[in-house]
Amino acid sequence: MRKWLTRSIFFYFIYGLIVYWYLFIFSGSGIPAPYEGTSADPKTFMSGRELILSQEYSTIRNFLYFVTIPFEWFLLFVCLITGLSKKMKEWASATSRFFSLQSAIYFFWLSLFVTFVSFPVNWIGYKISKTYQITTQSFSSWMKDEIIDFWVNYLLMTVIIVVLYWLIKKFEKRWWLYAWLLSIPFSLFLMFVQPVIIDPLYNDFYPLQNKQLEEKILALADKADIPANHVYEVNMSEKTNSLNAYVTGIGSNSRIVLWDTTLNQLDDDEILFIMAHEMGHYVMKHIYIGIAGYLLLSLIGLYLIHLLMRKIISRSGSLLRISSMKDLAGFPLFLMLLGMLTVASNPLANTVARYQEKSADMYAINMTGDHQAAISSFQKLSKAGLSQVNPPSLVKIFRYTHPTMLERIVYIEEDLESNKND
């Protein structure tokens, strides 16, 4: 146990050094020479101070992201190899003879352990955002959201654990297939209820107060044959200075949502471009394509977890204190493998997402015909979030679900030039 813990800490330390070297020393985020002085060059729309802050903030946040990913895996590994997970299972078993209640108690202790040890890392992320004035949220408000996160995740995951281990016990060789089949209605249900049950736990949503702007947005929706009756705004200015807008939910619970920071900092033409972008996702059915892609990756992922868990337990079950795949104490191994496979799939998922975002951008341009509003909105998004216009390659591959701001502004300008030539 000591040997494996020592090795884990050593490799984690080396990994952190490599990430630090890549982000702070090796990689650059400058603008390629052909684009210097263009509207894609942050020097044309950011002050010198904003340039420095965006570089510092983005680099620190990227570093924190990359070193945090394996940190939770390490905690789960510690739970297994020290026997803590096994001890938690024994506590739960002694409390009740009902497996569902045992699972709920076990996962409560596991969640509490991971949350407690991870809290300093999460707090550092909060303080960094607060220092750079991206976060405007008070500590008490941030803690409230953290507590809500804990209980929402706990309740959802408890349901998943009970069903998952029931399937493993009943169908040891095919549990992954039945789990995947059940995940389809469960995922659709969550997407349906999220706008009306989960999201309001964190923020207040209400119909857009600017009725003139709402009429313009609904006119765009009518032009795109989108059956929208309301546009919602959310009071995100209490928590952040960043800008955002999105479409959430499915079916009758679909919503177009604008952050009030977006309403406060963008002009109407810029907001209309962003709304046309979100409508592009709806028209091109990106939500449903995304669901299909998620379900396909889930099927592959669950099957791989089945194979890997069976192999790991057969070889190292005694070391990890797991007697079989049916053993509830082995759930941290499930979470570790799920996390690793999720990160491994991010480059593919993000590539597809970036393609969809570009398609939505071009749809919005075709609908509004306002290239300048598109460019200025991208510039303001970069300023408000202190985001890098041209991030390092690995950051883009693993973190960016949207094209970089450099790419977005460049292809909008190229489309503008193409239209002029035509």
Side-chain angles (χ1 to χ4, degrees):
M1 182 186 72
R2 289 179 181 177
K3 180 178 70 175
W4 277 100
L5 284 175
T6 302
R7 285 178 178 176
S8 300
I9 294 170
F10 174 76
F11 284 119
Y12 183 67
F13 178 73
I14 295 300
Y15 167 79
L17 287 179
I18 293 172
V19 171
Y20 181 88
W21 170 80
Y22 176 77
L23 292 175
F24 287 89
I25 299 172
F26 175 76
S27 63
S29 58
I31 299 298
Y35 304 114
E36 291 182 356
T38 68
S39 55
D41 186 348
K43 292 179 182 177
T44 64
F45 59 87
M46 286 188 185
S47 67
R49 174 177 169 76
E50 288 171 335
L51 286 170
I52 295 172
L53 291 178
S54 66
Q55 178 64 27
E56 289 179 354
Y57 177 71
S58 296
T59 304
I60 293 171
R61 290 292 296 182
N62 290 331
F63 176 75
L64 194 63
Y65 169 81
F66 281 109
V67 297
T68 300
I69 290 173
F71 180 67
E72 186 168 331
W73 305 342
F74 174 72
L75 294 181
L76 295 170
F77 177 70
V78 169
C79 263
L80 290 169
I81 202 169
T82 60
L84 181 58
S85 181
K86 183 179 179 181
K87 182 61 68 176
M88 290 174 181
K89 190 196 78 169
E90 292 172 354
W91 294 340
S93 299
T95 305
S96 172
R97 62 187 180 89
F98 298 104
F99 179 73
S100 57
L101 190 55
Q102 291 176 10
S103 301
I105 295 169
Y106 165 80
F107 187 63
F108 174 79
W109 288 114
L110 179 64
S111 299
L112 201 62
F113 168 76
V114 173
T115 301
F116 179 76
V117 180
S118 301
F119 180 81
V121 177
N122 296 334
W123 180 79
I124 289 171
Y126 163 74
K127 289 299 292 183
I128 290 170
S129 294
K130 188 81 171 177
T131 299
Y132 284 88
Q133 297 181 352
I134 300 299
T135 294
T136 59
Q137 195 171 16
S138 66
F139 178 76
S140 59
S141 174
W142 177 76
M143 276 300 302
K144 177 185 173 184
D145 283 353
E146 291 290 299
I147 293 170
I148 292 173
D149 271 343
F150 176 86
W151 286 111
V152 169
N153 292 331
Y154 170 73
L155 292 173
L156 292 176
M157 286 301 298
T158 298
V159 173
I160 291 171
I161 290 174
V162 171
V163 174
L164 181 68
Y165 275 88
W166 179 81
L167 291 172
I168 292 174
K169 289 180 177 182
K170 195 168 183 65
F171 312 101
E172 189 171 359
K173 293 183 179 179
R174 293 284 183 270
W175 67 267
W176 55 272
L177 178 59
Y178 298 123
W180 177 75
L181 290 172
L182 288 175
S183 75
I184 297 174
F186 185 71
S187 299
L188 294 176
F189 172 74
L190 285 181
M191 293 187 70
F192 185 78
V193 302
Q194 181 176 338
V196 293
I197 296 178
I198 298 177
D199 289 348
L201 294 174
Y202 298 89
N203 297 99
D204 296 325
F205 292 78
Y206 35 84
L208 184 61
Q209 295 180 354
N210 186 336
K211 295 305 176 183
Q212 289 183 335
L213 178 59
E214 184 179 44
E215 287 179 8
K216 294 177 183 179
I217 294 172
L218 292 178
L220 273 181
D222 183 63
K223 184 179 176 182
D225 295 323
I226 296 175
N229 296 318
H230 296 288
V231 179
Y232 291 85
E233 61 178 286
V234 55
N235 60 332
M236 288 301 296
S237 58
E238 296 179 356
K239 298 182 178 181
T240 182
N241 285 318
S242 296
L243 314 180
N244 197 15
Y246 58 91
V247 175
T248 185
I250 56 174
S252 60
N253 277 0
S254 295
R255 286 185 176 183
I256 299 173
V257 180
L258 277 163
W259 287 10
D260 61 347
T261 51
T262 303
L263 293 167
N264 295 336
Q265 298 184 48
L266 297 189
D267 299 332
D268 281 6
D269 290 343
E270 294 163 341
I271 292 172
L272 290 175
F273 168 79
I274 290 175
M275 287 291 93
H277 169 98
E278 299 302 333
M279 292 173 192
H281 287 305
Y282 180 93
V283 170
M284 291 181 278
K285 304 188 185 307
H286 287 167
I287 294 175
Y288 298 101
I289 293 171
I291 293 172
Y294 163 76
L295 292 175
L296 177 61
L297 289 175
S298 297
L299 176 61
I300 297 170
L302 285 169
Y303 179 63
L304 289 175
I305 288 173
H306 168 70
L307 296 179
L308 290 169
M309 282 190 72
R310 190 168 62 181
K311 193 168 187 177
I312 291 170
I313 292 171
S314 66
R315 290 188 175 185
S316 307
S318 59
L319 175 69
L320 299 176
R321 319 293 177 93
I322 306 171
S323 59
S324 71
M325 195 179 294
K326 300 175 184 179
D327 188 353
L328 187 60
F331 188 62
L333 178 60
F334 178 92
L335 292 177
M336 281 177 61
L337 294 173
L338 178 63
M340 291 175 182
L341 291 173
T342 299
V343 171
S345 69
N346 277 350
L348 174 61
N350 290 347
T351 298
V352 174
R354 287 194 296 269
Y355 173 80
Q356 291 181 335
E357 293 298 333
K358 180 177 180 180
S359 299
D361 281 343
M362 300 316 295
Y363 177 89
I365 283 296
N366 291 332
M367 175 174 275
T368 64
D370 197 338
H371 294 77
Q372 190 52 51
I375 292 171
S376 59
S377 65
F378 292 150
Q379 291 174 337
K380 290 180 181 180
L381 284 167
S382 296
K383 288 183 64 173
L386 292 180
S387 58
Q388 291 173 306
V389 173
N390 187 34
S393 298
L394 286 180
V395 173
K396 174 186 171 182
I397 291 170
F398 282 96
R399 295 205 67 186
Y400 273 52
T401 57
H402 291 62
T404 66
M405 286 304 180
L406 173 67
E407 293 169 335
R408 299 180 88 172
I409 292 174
V410 165
Y411 62 63
I412 293 296
E413 285 192 327
E414 288 175 348
D415 185 75
L416 177 60
E417 289 300 318
S418 176
N419 289 345
K420 287 180 180 179
N421 293 334
D422 291 343

